[in-house]
Amino acid sequence: MRARRPLAVLGLAAVLLAGCRSTGHADPAPEPARPAWQPVTLPAPPGASGRLLLRDATACAGRWFVVGAVADAAGGTRPAAWTSVDGLAWTALRPVPRSPYGEENVLTAAGCRDGRLAAVGGRSGGVHGNPRISTWRQVADGSLVEVPAEFEVFGGPDAVNVGRIAGGPRGWLIAGNRATGAAAWVSADGTDFRLVSGVPGLATEAAGRPWAADGTATASGWLMVGSVLPSGRTGVDPAVWTSPDGRAWRRAVLPAAGADADLQRVVRVGERAVAVGRRGDGLGAWLGDGGSWRAGGGFGGAGTARPGRVWGLAAVADGALAVVAGGMTGAGWFSRDGAAWSPVALPVAVPPGSDRTVAVAGAGEAVLLLEDNNFGATIWSARGPWSPG
C-alpha cells in the first residue's frame, strides 16, 4: 500500500494539472457589440385596416424601403410598401395593381436602384393553387405599379421558386430556380423580365444540380450565389455564377475543405463581394475580388442553429452584417474584412421557422431589421456600434 500511494498522488496531480491547462486555454465567449436599437412605427397604408405582413427591406441612394402586405381578418391580402429618407419616419407608397392576382399580392422581395424600388410579389391561385408571380416597379410619381407577366415567365410546369431581386447599373436581376436548374430573370428597366434557364452554367448537368439563392450587381455585370449538389453525393458544394449581361453565365464551385457548404446570401462591400452560408456544422464567409474567390472566416456561437440559416446580409459601416438563426446575442455577426467576425446583439431572437420572416438592410452606418411571426411584425433601426470596443 505504501508503494502505491505516491503513484496515486502523482496520477491525481496529473489530472488536476490537465484540467487547469484545459481551463486556461478555453477561449472566453466574445462580448457582443450592443447597438442602440430603437423601434420603428410604420403608418397604416390607405384602405381597410388589417395586420401588417412584412417581408423584406432594402436601401440605396438615400432611400429606405420596406415591402409586404396587409392581411384582413378573413385572410385576404393586398400589397403594401413604405419608404423613408432616414429609416425612422416612414410614408406608405401607393400600390397600383394591374391584375386580379396583383390586387392580392404579398410583396416578398425588394431591390433598389438609383433610389427607386422594385419588388417581387405573389399570390397562390388557379386550379392547382400555384403562386402567381408579378413584379412591381416604382414610377416617377412615387407609386408602385404592378408589371403583370405571362404565367410561364415565372410559373408553368418548370417552376420551382422565384427568389430575391437586385438592382444595378445594368438594370434588375431576380435569382431563382427551375426544373432545369438555376435560373435568372433580367430586365433593363423593370418593365419586362426575361427568363434565362436551361443554358450552360445554369442548367443541371452530369456533374450535378445547381441551386441559386441570391444575387447582386457587380462592376462587370451580375453575380449569383448558391450551391451545387454533385451527382452521387448527399452533400452540397458552394457555387457562384457570373455574367456580364444576365444571359450568358459562368459557374465556379468554391473550395470548402471537404465540408458540406452552401452560399445563402451575398452583398457588395466596396469592390469586394462577401457571401455567407453553411460550412460544415457552422457558418462561414467567402470573399470574391476581381473574379477570384477564397474562404473567409467562420462565425456562429451560443444560440446559433446548426446547420445555420442566414436570414439576411447587409453592407454597413464598410463591412458586412449577417443575421442568422439564433438568440438575441447569437444571431448577429459583423466583419470589416470577411475574415474576423464579432457578435452583435439584436433586439429580438430570430430562430428558424417557416412561420417567421427576418430581413436586414444597411446604408452607411445605419441598419434596419424587421421580424415577422405569427404574433405580429416589428422593425428596429440602429446606427451601431457594430463591433465591440
Side-chain angles (χ1 to χ4, degrees):
M1 292 294 294
R2 289 193 186 100
R4 294 176 183 169
R5 186 173 299 164
L7 293 176
V9 172
L10 288 173
L12 177 60
V15 171
L16 292 175
L17 286 172
C20 290
R21 283 195 297 268
S22 176
T23 303
H25 287 178
D27 294 328
E31 183 66 23
R34 300 188 181 276
W37 295 102
Q38 53 182 317
V40 172
T41 301
L42 297 178
S49 62
R51 182 192 162 212
L52 299 186
L53 307 177
L54 305 184
R55 294 296 181 260
D56 202 9
T58 188
C60 72
R63 279 281 174 184
W64 297 84
F65 298 97
V66 169
V67 301
V70 179
D72 61 30
T77 57
R78 68 179 193 272
W82 297 261
T83 188
S84 172
V85 295
D86 60 5
L88 299 175
W90 291 80
T91 302
L93 298 178
R94 181 173 69 92
V96 183
R98 300 294 194 192
S99 72
Y101 286 111
E103 294 177 356
E104 300 179 342
N105 262 201
V106 177
L107 306 184
T108 56
C112 192
R113 175 192 177 200
D114 299 330
R116 294 283 180 88
L117 170 69
V120 177
R123 181 67 172 173
S124 297
V127 175
H128 301 290
N130 295 323
R132 302 302 177 102
I133 304 297
S134 292
T135 57
W136 297 72
R137 60 187 293 265
Q138 190 178 21
V139 297
D141 68 1
S143 59
L144 192 62
V145 179
E146 181 193 8
V147 184
E150 295 295 328
F151 176 63
E152 292 199 4
V153 173
F154 296 108
D158 287 341
V160 175
N161 82 307
V162 179
R164 301 181 57 76
I165 183 171
R170 289 164 176 77
W172 300 93
L173 168 76
I174 300 172
N177 299 279
R178 307 282 285 181
T180 56
W185 290 262
V186 290
S187 174
D189 57 9
T191 61
D192 184 25
F193 278 86
R194 174 186 173 184
L195 168 63
V196 182
S197 66
V199 300
L202 297 181
T204 297
E205 55 190 28
R209 177 175 178 80
W211 179 269
D214 197 7
T216 190
T218 69
S220 58
W222 297 106
L223 167 69
M224 293 197 301
V225 302
S227 60
V228 173
L229 174 61
S231 299
R233 269 185 47 195
T234 57
V236 296
D237 295 323
V240 300
W241 293 262
T242 54
S243 172
D245 56 11
R247 293 174 172 81
W249 290 87
R250 181 178 180 181
R251 184 175 74 200
V253 177
L254 305 186
D260 290 340
D262 62 18
L263 301 180
Q264 301 175 28
R265 289 289 187 270
V266 64
V267 71
R268 293 286 297 177
V269 180
E271 297 301 314
R272 174 184 293 175
V274 178
V276 297
R278 181 171 58 92
R279 183 187 294 164
D281 290 337
L283 297 161
W286 283 260
L287 312 176
D289 192 357
S292 64
W293 287 81
R294 62 182 176 86
F299 57 94
T304 301
R306 65 181 284 270
R309 172 172 181 173
V310 181
W311 281 115
L313 182 68
V316 59
D318 297 323
L321 174 68
V323 175
V324 304
M328 295 175 67
T329 58
W333 293 87
F334 175 77
S335 176
R336 294 196 183 277
D337 58 8
W341 293 80
S342 56
V344 176
L346 301 184
V348 64
V350 289
S354 59
D355 60 345
R356 184 182 305 271
T357 299
V358 181
V360 61
E365 298 286 329
V367 164
L368 191 72
L369 175 72
L370 69 84
E371 190 265 350
D372 193 336
N373 56 49
N374 286 333
F375 301 100
T378 49
I379 302 181
W380 296 265
S381 69
R383 300 190 63 86
W386 303 112
S387 55

